[in-house]
Amino acid sequence: MIDRIENEIETLKLQLIEHPLYKMMKSKKDIKVFMEHHIFAVWDFMSLVKKLQLDLTTTTLPWIPNKMPFAGRLINEIVWGEETDINKDGVAMSHFQMYLQAMNQVGAEMNPIKEFLNGIEKSDSIKSHINSVDLPLFLKNFLLFTFRVIESNKTHVVAAVFTFGREDLIPDMFIEMVKTINNEPDLDLSHLIYYLERHIEVDAGEHGPMALKMIEELCGKDPVKWEEVLEASKTALRHRIALWDGIASLILKPVTN
């Protein structure tokens, strides 16, 4: 079944890997626009990870043994890496914090993501908060899809979006991005390049194959679950394409005084 899913999503994956956005990042302004919007995807990824940690490991007291130790190990490893990795200077921090550091290095605007996070606790729900903030529609749709998946309480669907919409996809996308920004000698992008290369290293190694095994463990021989995994994966990829399309349109938008 994994082979069937990978075959059916191949066209969507190719659209992302070959997306023109990567080659558009030719100036400091282009990179800033990209980072100011991509940071929201960096942030919401952690909610997918945390939902899987809640579902697949024991996070309550008293502790009881985990029923899915393989999947639990994968998620615990990813949480450990995403929340407490080491940055390029050897300082422990989350990948989200690394990305903010990279944004600061290029002078990207960080107030929107900071204000967004500050407003979460004041809102009745994450969906109402997303709808209320001043963000492009393509970005709101991307975030709303993530939280619809989380609130479905279908662990296999959350795992599908995590695996095929993020973990399995990121190395190929980021490789294309690194190729472009490494050709910008006048810009110091060391923090961003480290972040991208770190994800390529980790996600293309053990985590990718482990995530596929997690899907198999969660779905077993249930045909309904496998179909839901397929549809969720396709939808996740379409939302990522829409996100890339939206950011590309903003990069191409003329600067007005």
Side-chain angles (χ1 to χ4, degrees):
M1 287 301 296
I2 289 289
D3 289 342
R4 179 197 162 199
I5 290 172
E6 290 184 327
N7 287 335
E8 292 209 25
I9 66 174
E10 183 64 24
T11 301
L12 293 169
K13 280 186 66 177
L14 281 175
Q15 286 183 49
L16 283 162
I17 295 166
E18 298 173 356
H19 200 283
L21 174 65
Y22 312 121
K23 294 181 180 179
M24 289 181 184
M25 289 186 281
K26 296 179 180 179
S27 69
K28 190 173 185 178
K29 172 254 182 188
D30 301 336
I31 293 169
K32 285 165 64 175
V33 170
F34 172 79
M35 296 184 78
E36 287 163 5
H37 295 84
H38 181 236
I39 183 62
F40 287 89
V42 176
W43 168 75
D44 84 331
F45 171 76
M46 280 307 300
S47 289
L48 285 171
V49 173
K50 284 297 185 178
K51 173 59 176 171
L52 289 172
Q53 187 181 36
L54 289 170
D55 288 355
L56 298 173
T57 69
T58 302
T59 56
T60 56
L61 296 173
W63 179 85
I64 56 173
N66 182 7
K67 295 178 180 178
M68 291 189 171
F70 181 89
R73 178 188 172 193
L74 167 66
I75 295 306
N76 279 335
E77 280 191 11
I78 289 172
V79 170
W80 174 76
E82 289 286 340
E83 284 192 315
T84 55
D85 204 358
I86 302 295
N87 78 347
K88 68 180 289 290
D89 300 316
V91 178
M93 63 175 61
S94 68
H95 284 187
F96 177 80
Q97 290 168 310
M98 283 187 205
Y99 204 92
L100 290 178
Q101 195 175 47
M103 290 177 69
N104 185 59
Q105 186 178 40
V106 301
E109 178 59 64
M110 292 188 285
N111 282 335
I113 184 63
K114 290 181 177 180
E115 291 174 1
F116 177 83
L117 295 181
N118 289 337
I120 287 177
E121 293 183 358
K122 302 172 186 177
S123 181
D124 294 335
S125 71
I126 184 62
K127 287 183 179 180
S128 62
H129 180 56
I130 292 168
N131 282 318
S132 69
V133 294
D134 183 19
L135 292 174
L137 182 59
F138 66 83
L139 187 49
K140 288 186 179 185
N141 288 339
F142 185 89
L143 297 174
L144 288 168
F145 169 71
T146 297
F147 286 95
R148 281 199 305 273
V149 167
I150 290 169
E151 292 173 9
S152 73
N153 283 321
K154 294 182 176 182
T155 307
H156 59 287
V157 172
V158 179
V161 172
F162 165 82
T163 300
F164 295 108
R166 305 290 181 104
E167 202 73 3
D168 184 54
L169 184 67
I170 284 173
D172 289 332
M173 289 194 308
F174 283 2
I175 285 169
E176 293 304 313
M177 209 171 293
V178 168
K179 286 179 185 177
T180 299
I181 64 177
N182 263 331
N183 292 325
E184 306 304 322
D186 298 329
L187 290 175
D188 184 359
L189 301 170
S190 55
H191 284 294
L192 177 58
I193 290 170
Y194 178 87
Y195 169 88
L196 296 172
E197 290 182 340
R198 185 74 180 127
H199 267 280
I200 293 167
E201 175 188 355
V202 174
D203 295 341
E206 289 187 3
H207 290 174
M210 287 175 71
L212 296 178
K213 289 183 180 179
M214 174 179 64
I215 296 287
E216 291 178 332
E217 187 175 18
L218 289 169
C219 291
K221 296 181 179 180
D222 189 329
V224 174
K225 287 184 177 181
W226 280 111
E227 286 302 316
E228 289 178 336
V229 161
L230 176 60
E231 290 308 310
S233 301
K234 288 180 178 179
T235 305
L237 292 170
R238 291 188 185 107
H239 276 288
R240 175 69 75 163
I241 292 168
L243 177 66
W244 269 195
D245 288 346
I247 295 175
S249 70
L250 292 178
I251 288 176
L252 292 172
K253 188 176 180 180
V255 177
T256 55
N257 295 323

